[in-house]
């Protein structure tokens, strides 16, 4: 059984500290792109139209399943910045129990002022991804009961 | 102040803008361009989406609201008379701009989308019947696809599509094969918003007329960039949007031949578009009022008049020549100096814009990263999903030009793309 080592609150604090050490936006974007490159390969069998998350200019695929009491989320995008955002989201949300996922808001995003820099279109994509993660958590929780 | 006492020097006129064309000089007329974005001078290259406004338009609208504003065509009082005169003057300016024979053939609408919907409703739904055919092209904006799909669905008519070649040029031989006595209407853009292709609209119109079809030209991407003469073209309808030609949002133009405008069904009904109303029967006013029910976008129409004064003051020939030079320069620089860049849309005749992809960066990455260089470009499917499908790309990045853009800004675009490539690799 997989148990989250850290709570989403601690993980979000880590992310904020990590980004605050990067002084300019070039460095922050490079970091996001770097995180995207390290994202684990998305299973090809799940790269289906059904698994596409609507609401982003890029194509985003997402898949999730339960491992013990934790939700495993896998996702990918054809845009690098979106891959990086996925990597950040998965750090916060993946491998957490459904109830924790449902109760967690991605406040690191706002604390970093990324809402000011990443335009609404992509914000919508980000919120669509979060909504999708929460939907998976809800469905998996119901299935487990 | 009476209407008569208001002198011509109170408001800008086309003469007041007339001077030798210099992009560095005209740039100064656009307050929004004088700023920095993310610490870099703004390079605004999303002109196919919407254009910035010159001081003359901004000030003209301010002055109108501050000094002359009233309703149009209704009031017997001074302000209404003044506003009506200014509103109708704007209509005259549009007629002159398009070389329309009669200003009553100029209908003010919200924009190109509304104009096409007006024709698809008033002409399409009113007159199409099963067996009839409507022809559009493979390189249309959704606004010139969906209204015709709906009109065809409602009437039992069939929608046909002129294909394009790998450069994004329409295949005219295929167009000729589509034409028949069943063709009732042909609706194509003058310039493609996604590819920049300039379509041979004169030839398209003549061939459609030869089989008795009426033709609508979507001029959203042509009116701001080249001289347009609706009489020389012979089109039955021509439409463009104000906000793409340095005018406010919420105003656009439908030009239509009077005999068609007279027989078409009204699109929206209400006040001021009627002749007499009883509960049994309403008779309609003559065009343009027939299509301008309700209080129109008065200040926006007047603002459009100022914008047309401004561009005609510079001269559409001068604008077209300069923008072609800029397009040619940008095309060469992007192709030769940006590794992995592919231009989507390489038709022999293009205007105003370059759609492109980079080998290693999604358009979304390009747009996001280059924004931090102060450069505004559009990314996405440009409301032309069939075009994206035809060229097998999910999206493109698009740089679109106006006469206030410079070669130096093209150089900044190239440098910005180098930075994008460096950041993603």
């Amino acid at each position: 059984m997989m148990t989250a080592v850290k709570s989403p609150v601690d993980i979000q604090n880590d992310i904020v500290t990590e980004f605050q050490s990067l002084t300019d936006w070039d460095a922050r974007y490079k970091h996001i792109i770097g995180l995207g490159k390290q994202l684990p390969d998305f299973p090809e069998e799940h790269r289906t139209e059904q698994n596409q998350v609507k609401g982003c200019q890029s194509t985003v695929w997402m898949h999730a399943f339960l491992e013990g009491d934790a939700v495993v989320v896998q996702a990918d995008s054809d845009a690098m910045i979106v891959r990086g955002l996925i990597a950040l989201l998965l750090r916060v949300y993946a491998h957490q129990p459904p109830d924790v996922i449902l109760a967690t808001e991605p406040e690191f995003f706002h604390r970093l002022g990324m809402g000011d820099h990443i335009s609404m279109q992509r914000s919508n994509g980000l919120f669509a991804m979060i909504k999708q993660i929460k939907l998976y958590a809800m469905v998996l929780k119901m299935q487990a009961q | 102040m009476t209407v008569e006492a208001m002198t011509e020097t109170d408001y800008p006129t086309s003469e007041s803008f007339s001077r030798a064309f210099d992009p560095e000089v005209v740039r100064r007329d656009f307050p929004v361009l004088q700023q920095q974005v993310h610490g870099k001078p703004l390079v605004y290259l999303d002109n196919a989406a919407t254009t910035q406004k010159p001081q003359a338009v901004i000030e003209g609208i301010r002055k109108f609201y501050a000094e002359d504003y009233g309703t149009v065509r209704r009031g017997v009082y001074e302000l209404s008379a003044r506003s009506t005169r200014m509103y109708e003057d704007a209509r005259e300016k549009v007629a002159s701009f398009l070389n329309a024979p009669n200003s009553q053939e100029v209908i003010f609408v919200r924009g190109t989308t509304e104009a096409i919907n007006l024709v698809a409703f008033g002409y399409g739904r009113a007159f199409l019947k099963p067996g009839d055919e409507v022809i559009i092209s493979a390189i249309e904006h959704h606004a010139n696809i969906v209204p015709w799909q709906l009109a065809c669905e409602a009437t039992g008519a069939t929608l046909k599509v002129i294909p394009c070649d790998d450069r994004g040029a329409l295949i005219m031989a295929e167009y000729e094969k589509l034409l028949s006595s069943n063709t009732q209407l042909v609706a194509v853009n003058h310039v493609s918003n996604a590819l920049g292709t300039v379509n041979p609209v004169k030839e398209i119109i003549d061939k459609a007329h030869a089989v008795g079809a009426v033709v609508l030209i979507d001029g959203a991407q042509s009116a701001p960039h080249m001289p347009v003469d609706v009489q020389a073209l012979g089109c039955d309808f021509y439409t463009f949007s104000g906000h793409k030609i340095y005018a406010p949002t919420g105003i656009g133009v439908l030009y239509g031949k009077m005999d068609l405008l007279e027989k078409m069904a009204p699109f929206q009904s209400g006040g001021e578009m009627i002749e007499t109303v009883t509960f049994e029967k309403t008779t309609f006013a003559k065009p343009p009022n027939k299509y301008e029910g309700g209080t129109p976008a008065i200040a926006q129409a007047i603002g459009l008049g100022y914008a047309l004064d401004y561009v005609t003051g510079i001269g559409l020939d001068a604008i077209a020549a300069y923008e072609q030079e800029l397009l040619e320069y940008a095309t060469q620089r992007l192709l030769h100096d940006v590794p992995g860049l592919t231009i989507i849309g390489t038709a022999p005749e293009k205007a105003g814009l370059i759609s492109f992809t980079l080998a290693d960066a999604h358009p979304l990455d390009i747009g996001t990263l280059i924004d931090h260089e102060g450069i505004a470009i559009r990314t996405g499917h440009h409301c032309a999903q069939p075009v994206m499908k035809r060229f097998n790309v999910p999206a493109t990045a698009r740089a679109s030009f106006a006469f206030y853009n410079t070669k130096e800004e093209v150089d900044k675009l190239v440098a910005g793309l180098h930075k994008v490539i460096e950041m993603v690799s």
Side-chain angles (χ1 to χ4, degrees):
Chain A
M1 192 179 89
M2 197 158 208
T3 313
V5 180
K6 280 190 173 180
S7 73
V9 174
D10 291 336
I11 296 167
Q12 296 205 57
N13 287 336
D14 290 351
I15 292 172
V16 171
T17 309
E18 192 175 302
F19 272 86
Q20 278 171 345
S21 70
L22 303 168
T23 48
D24 63 24
W25 271 95
D26 280 8
R28 289 184 173 197
Y29 272 120
K30 272 188 181 162
H31 187 53
I32 290 173
I33 289 166
L35 292 172
K37 285 180 179 170
Q38 292 162 27
L39 195 67
D41 287 344
F42 186 75
E44 285 306 313
E45 68 267 27
H46 295 309
R47 202 182 293 277
T48 61
E49 198 174 332
Q50 204 192 336
N51 283 341
Q52 282 183 15
V53 180
K54 305 290 177 206
C56 185
Q57 267 193 35
S58 70
T59 311
V60 174
W61 297 268
M62 194 177 281
H63 173 68
F65 56 93
L66 265 187
E67 200 173 80
D69 64 352
V71 179
V72 177
V73 185
Q74 298 166 318
D76 195 9
S77 168
D78 54 354
M80 290 199 188
I81 289 170
V82 178
R83 277 177 68 95
L85 294 175
I86 288 170
L88 288 171
L89 286 180
L90 295 195
R91 262 165 78 181
V92 176
Y93 287 99
H95 303 294
Q96 301 287 352
D99 283 334
V100 175
I101 289 175
L102 290 170
T104 299
E105 293 306 321
E107 45 136 9
F108 72 97
F109 186 71
H110 304 290
R111 279 164 68 193
L112 288 169
M114 287 161 106
D116 303 334
H117 290 272
I118 296 180
S119 79
M120 276 315 285
Q121 181 85 23
R122 265 150 287 126
S123 295
N124 290 340
L126 188 88
F127 292 130
M129 289 191 282
I130 293 161
K131 192 174 158 196
Q132 191 62 41
I133 291 171
K134 291 195 172 190
L135 277 171
Y136 271 121
M138 204 181 287
V139 169
L140 291 168
K141 180 185 168 184
M142 283 162 63
Q143 282 176 355
Q145 281 170 351
Chain B
M1 187 168 84
T2 66
V3 175
E4 287 72 29
M6 198 169 70
T7 65
E8 288 303 317
T9 51
D10 283 348
Y11 282 96
T13 65
S14 59
E15 285 73 32
S16 55
F17 301 121
S18 212
R19 66 204 147 173
F21 179 70
D22 178 349
E24 295 293 351
V25 174
V26 295
R27 281 182 73 79
R28 292 181 213 140
D29 295 334
F30 293 80
V32 83
L33 298 177
Q34 318 303 319
Q35 67 182 293
Q36 298 215 329
V37 168
H38 302 304
K40 314 263 170 62
L42 169 65
V43 177
Y44 184 77
L45 296 175
D46 196 16
N47 296 289
T50 198
T51 52
Q52 299 300 341
K53 315 307 171 199
Q55 186 60 38
V57 169
I58 298 167
E59 174 57 22
I61 293 167
R62 188 208 63 78
K63 187 170 159 60
F64 171 64
Y65 275 129
E67 298 175 16
D68 299 304
Y69 178 72
T71 194
V72 292
R73 302 182 297 207
R74 291 167 172 82
V76 294
Y77 49 85
E78 169 66 18
L79 283 181
S80 177
R82 248 187 254 163
S83 293
T84 302
R85 196 196 76 158
M86 294 172 77
Y87 181 74
E88 292 303 327
D89 276 356
R91 196 189 308 279
E92 294 288 340
K93 289 177 188 179
V94 174
S96 163
F97 178 74
L98 294 176
N99 194 30
N102 174 359
S103 67
Q104 304 306 291
E105 296 178 315
V106 171
I107 316 289
F108 283 128
V109 291
R110 277 188 298 157
T112 304
T113 297
E114 187 175 65
I116 296 170
N117 275 277
L118 191 159
V119 178
F121 186 90
Y123 189 89
R125 296 207 189 195
F127 300 122
L128 290 173
K129 53 189 189 309
D132 287 348
E133 293 173 358
V134 174
I135 297 177
I136 60 171
S137 90
I139 57 172
E140 298 303 319
H141 187 284
H142 294 165
N144 201 29
I145 301 173
V146 185
W148 303 116
Q149 276 176 336
L150 294 176
C152 286
E153 273 173 28
T155 59
T158 308
L159 193 66
K160 302 273 181 180
V161 182
I162 312 166
C164 71
D165 63 20
D166 291 342
R167 302 168 304 171
L170 296 185
I171 304 172
M172 293 300 282
E174 295 296 324
Y175 170 54
E176 286 177 41
K177 285 186 207 162
L178 293 177
L179 286 166
S180 74
S181 57
N182 293 329
T183 311
Q184 293 301 317
L185 195 140
V186 176
V188 292
N189 56 32
H190 196 169
V191 174
S192 155
N193 76 303
L195 302 171
T197 308
V198 180
N199 287 321
V201 286
K202 174 69 179 149
E203 192 185 339
I204 289 171
I205 294 160
D206 289 347
K207 290 193 163 132
H209 284 170
V211 298
V214 304
V215 183
L216 177 142
I217 301 298
D218 167 358
Q221 301 295 342
S222 58
H225 302 294
M226 60 189 68
V228 173
D229 181 334
V230 291
Q231 292 189 69
L233 287 175
C235 53
D236 302 284
F237 300 102
Y238 181 94
T239 171
F240 67 93
S241 295
H243 73 97
K244 292 188 201 288
I245 190 163
Y246 317 100
T249 51
I251 190 73
V253 167
L254 173 67
Y255 156 80
K257 285 182 179 166
M258 186 51 81
D259 59 327
L260 292 170
L261 293 175
E262 280 176 344
K263 78 174 190 180
M264 276 161 55
F267 182 43
Q268 290 168 335
S269 50
E272 207 59 38
M273 53 78 71
I274 47 80
E275 190 175 63
T276 59
V277 176
T278 66
F279 287 111
E280 290 72 38
K281 174 75 182 166
T282 295
T283 56
F284 299 112
K286 289 191 182 310
N289 290 11
K290 177 180 172 184
Y291 299 101
E292 293 182 11
T295 302
I298 305 167
Q300 291 85 339
I302 291 166
L304 173 61
Y306 295 143
L308 296 183
D309 285 342
Y310 183 83
V311 293
T312 51
I314 295 170
L316 267 295
D317 285 312
I319 289 170
Y322 173 70
E323 288 180 357
Q324 277 299 318
E325 187 185 323
L326 201 60
L327 179 69
E328 181 61 24
Y329 179 73
T331 303
Q332 293 307 320
R333 283 233 58 197
L334 291 176
L335 278 179
H336 294 137
D337 299 331
V338 183
L341 185 141
T342 304
I343 292 181
I344 309 294
T346 51
E349 282 204 55
K350 283 181 66 176
L353 64 93
I354 301 176
S355 245
F356 61 92
T357 57
L358 285 181
D360 298 319
H362 188 280
L364 182 61
D365 294 323
I366 303 172
T368 306
L369 296 172
I370 212 162
D371 172 52
H372 279 265
E373 300 303 304
I375 302 170
I377 58 167
R378 181 75 184 274
T379 62
H381 55 60
H382 316 294
C383 297
Q385 288 178 5
V387 177
M388 298 297 112
K389 199 173 171 196
R390 169 66 179 78
F391 287 89
N392 199 26
V393 288
T396 71
R398 182 188 69 186
S400 55
F401 305 105
F403 54 74
Y404 46 58
N405 292 126
T406 63
K407 288 182 182 173
E408 189 193 341
E409 289 183 309
V410 171
D411 295 340
K412 284 180 181 166
L413 173 66
V414 170
L417 292 172
H418 283 154
K419 178 106 188 248
V420 169
I421 292 166
E422 179 223 308
M423 285 188 74
V424 298
S425 55

